[in-house]
Structure formats: C-alpha cells, structure tokens
Amino acid sequence: MFTNRKGCTIYEKTVHNRAPTYIRHTTGEVYLESSSGQKNGSDRKPDNGIFVSIPETSLSYIPKRSDLIIDDIIDDEQPPVTAMTIMSVKDFRYGSPSVRHIEVNAE
C-alpha cells in the first residue's frame, strides 16, 4: 500500500471523573490527504479536514469516532489545539494482506 507520511498521532478520548482525558497512540507509515476549503455564502461551513489511510501493518490502535488526530508523530501527552476530531472510521481489513487498511476522516 502506498504511504506518504511517517505516521500520525491519535488521542483516544476517555472519560475520567466526568472530564475528558486522552491516551496517546502513534501509528506506523500512513497515506494522508488534507483538504481545505473556502466559505462561499453564509449557509456553508469551510471544508477543512484530512483523510488518512492506515495500513493494517501500521496499526497499534483502532481509532474511533470522537478521538483526536494529528497528521504527524508528536510526543505531547495532551492533544494540541490543532488536533482534528475523527468523524468517521471505516474498516477495510479483509482481502489481500497488502491492501488491508483503516480509513479515517477528520475535521
């Protein structure tokens, strides 16, 4: 599977004493596309986000909706303000071992 980044950092959202806390996870090599949009009119929001394809061999944690993601590997234990919220996760871990992957979309 084609990759273009060394990896990314995912912050698993958990709740401790009614406050959100985060557990840091990193991945191996990934394919990442970022998109940015411009607001056209008052009824539309900007379309800024990222698409990440994580090969099965790069997975250390399976992300879920509402986790946070950074498009680089960082050492911070808490997510930075630039972290994006994962909106969807699709599991494609079937078929040939060379194409098994997870797809993540975040805004």
Side-chain angles (χ1 to χ4, degrees):
M1 177 169 252
F2 176 72
T3 59
N4 63 354
R5 300 280 176 109
K6 290 182 182 179
C8 59
T9 306
I10 300 168
Y11 290 93
E12 177 184 3
K13 184 178 181 180
T14 61
V15 178
H16 182 69
N17 292 333
R18 293 189 278 176
T21 58
Y22 296 93
I23 301 169
R24 181 180 161 275
H25 302 277
T26 58
T27 68
E29 293 184 343
V30 300
Y31 175 77
L32 189 137
E33 286 181 10
S34 61
S35 63
S36 59
Q38 187 173 346
K39 186 174 181 176
N40 290 333
S42 62
D43 61 337
R44 294 186 177 182
K45 65 178 186 159
D47 182 23
N48 298 322
I50 59 173
F51 165 80
V52 185
S53 179
I54 308 170
E56 183 177 52
T57 56
S58 295
L59 283 172
S60 61
Y61 163 74
I62 298 175
K64 61 185 184 305
R65 187 175 164 90
S66 298
D67 287 349
L68 301 177
I69 190 167
I70 297 290
D71 61 357
D72 198 6
I73 295 178
I74 60 173
D75 294 329
D76 299 345
E77 288 302 317
Q78 292 300 311
V81 294
T82 57
M84 296 188 158
T85 303
I86 294 176
M87 303 306 285
S88 68
V89 178
K90 296 179 183 171
D91 191 346
F92 293 102
R93 291 179 297 157
Y94 52 83
S96 171
S98 61
V99 297
R100 294 177 188 166
H101 66 285
I102 301 268
E103 290 182 358
V104 175
N105 286 296
E107 294 180 349

